[in-house]
Amino acid sequence: MPTETGILQFLAICDSFYPADAVAAPISQQRQWYDALCARFDQPLPEGLTTEDALVLDRIATRHYRPKAIRTETALLYLHGGGFVVGSLESHHAICAEIADFAGAELISVDYRLAPEYRWPAQTDDCFEVLKHLLVSGRQVVLIGDSAGGNLAAGLAIRAQQQRLLGIAGQVLIYPTLGGDLVSGSYSEMENAPGLKTSDVAYYRASLKAPPGDPVAEPLAAASYAELPPAFITVAHFDPLRDDGRHYAAKLARAGVEVWFREEPQLLHAWLRARHMSDGARIGFRAVCEAASRFAGP
């Protein structure tokens, strides 16, 4: 267990909104609990920032965040977490707004289809269509995602490389799930970590039904990482997914990819929501914003 007061207060609030055995509940109930939890940590948007909802291919809902001062033409593409089962444009609304405002860049959030109604590859397909839409328009793109969204972001970088699409300026992966074995390392050490258990990860994988060993679905299984975009990867110490990020950073570095890696010693899974009440989360979130800004450029 972490000992930082702010993160323990955050965990207590989360426990009051989202039961430890939530994955045993019907999907509709899980989503209701998750939406209520996210709303509890909602924040006012930065002054002068505007938002606009739009459809890509007349079916993929997106939300565009435009800060008052835009300093770069590079777009930030945000893919939300939630185990591929919960989450929406609303769940990460303030997070997206704050990243966009810090970086001085337009950010586009994707409301991709969710499991179990839609199995893999519906999620990556939706996100890839939005990515292509941005790249075809001639814009550089920074991929950003947390948890399941970190999986989608890393997978998009690999998928774009497979199809020889250029223009990805960087990838920001926040406590990503990347296809670890569920039995060793942090999956064993943090099996019953607060906020996310290894059994929860197994449940989300079973809901998604992605093919094992596919590098887009499980980036840790890729045969080569050479020439992938530079990456910023941050993990939480008290998280079964911790070693996914550790191992991925090492694989990228060995392939010659520029990597920034952080491990937050007092944080747990989903700490983004604690950024306004935990010193550790506040510092970690600033590092995420700085990485997005660095990749986006002036």
Side-chain angles (χ1 to χ4, degrees):
M1 285 286 292
T3 58
E4 190 212 302
T5 300
I7 209 67
L8 291 176
Q9 293 172 343
F10 166 73
L11 181 59
I13 294 171
C14 290
D15 287 346
S16 70
F17 277 83
Y18 205 73
D21 60 348
V23 297
I27 297 297
S28 59
Q29 179 65 79
Q30 292 185 46
R31 291 173 182 162
Q32 182 179 336
W33 283 332
Y34 189 78
D35 290 347
L37 172 64
C38 294
R40 167 60 179 80
F41 295 104
D42 207 6
Q43 294 288 325
L45 300 191
E47 184 179 356
L49 181 139
T50 61
T51 67
E52 180 182 1
D53 290 355
L55 294 178
V56 174
L57 298 181
D58 294 324
R59 66 170 184 83
I60 306 169
T62 64
R63 180 166 295 166
H64 295 242
Y65 296 80
R66 297 184 179 93
K68 182 177 182 180
I70 293 184
R71 300 187 294 273
T72 176
E73 290 301 311
T74 300
L76 312 179
L77 182 60
Y78 196 96
L79 313 174
H80 69 77
F84 311 102
V85 170
V86 299
S88 66
L89 295 178
E90 299 303 327
S91 65
H92 290 62
H93 185 54
I95 292 169
C96 289
E98 291 170 29
I99 294 173
D101 188 67
F102 186 99
E106 181 180 10
L107 183 148
I108 299 91
S109 178
V110 184
D111 195 19
Y112 57 84
R113 288 171 288 177
L114 298 176
E117 296 93 334
Y118 299 96
R119 309 290 191 178
W120 195 91
Q123 297 73 24
T124 181
D125 284 350
D126 286 352
C127 298
F128 195 58
E129 289 298 337
V130 179
L131 173 62
K132 287 195 297 182
H133 179 75
L134 292 169
L135 294 177
V136 167
S137 71
R139 301 183 72 176
Q140 296 274 307
V141 176
V142 177
L143 300 168
I144 311 174
D146 68 287
S147 193
N151 170 280
L152 292 169
L156 287 192
I158 291 172
R159 191 170 176 180
Q161 184 188 62
Q162 290 174 343
Q163 299 193 22
R164 299 184 180 180
L165 292 177
L166 303 177
I168 298 178
Q171 47 185 326
V172 178
L173 312 180
I174 307 162
Y175 40 80
T177 175
L178 300 168
D181 61 20
L182 297 186
V183 295
S184 64
S186 58
Y187 283 109
S188 174
E189 181 187 350
M190 297 295 167
E191 179 180 9
N192 294 305
L196 183 72
K197 301 188 291 292
T198 297
S199 59
D200 297 333
V201 181
Y203 164 81
Y204 293 131
R205 288 190 187 181
S207 299
L208 186 65
K209 294 192 182 304
D214 185 294
V216 175
E218 297 184 347
L220 281 170
S224 173
Y225 301 93
E227 299 183 2
L228 281 173
F232 171 89
I233 302 172
T234 182
V235 301
H237 180 75
F238 297 96
D239 185 352
L241 299 179
R242 182 192 66 209
D243 286 356
D244 276 21
R246 277 184 181 176
H247 295 157
Y248 199 59
K251 285 175 177 283
L252 291 175
R254 283 196 294 268
V257 176
E258 191 169 19
V259 180
W260 287 265
F261 177 77
R262 286 179 64 93
E263 181 174 321
E264 303 297 347
Q266 279 294 310
L267 299 187
L268 40 76
H269 195 74
W271 58 257
L272 279 181
R273 287 193 291 272
R275 66 197 182 281
H276 292 291
M277 61 182 301
S278 155
D279 290 339
R282 186 178 299 109
I283 294 168
F285 183 65
R286 182 175 180 87
V288 165
C289 292
E290 288 174 344
S293 180
R294 179 170 59 244
F295 290 146

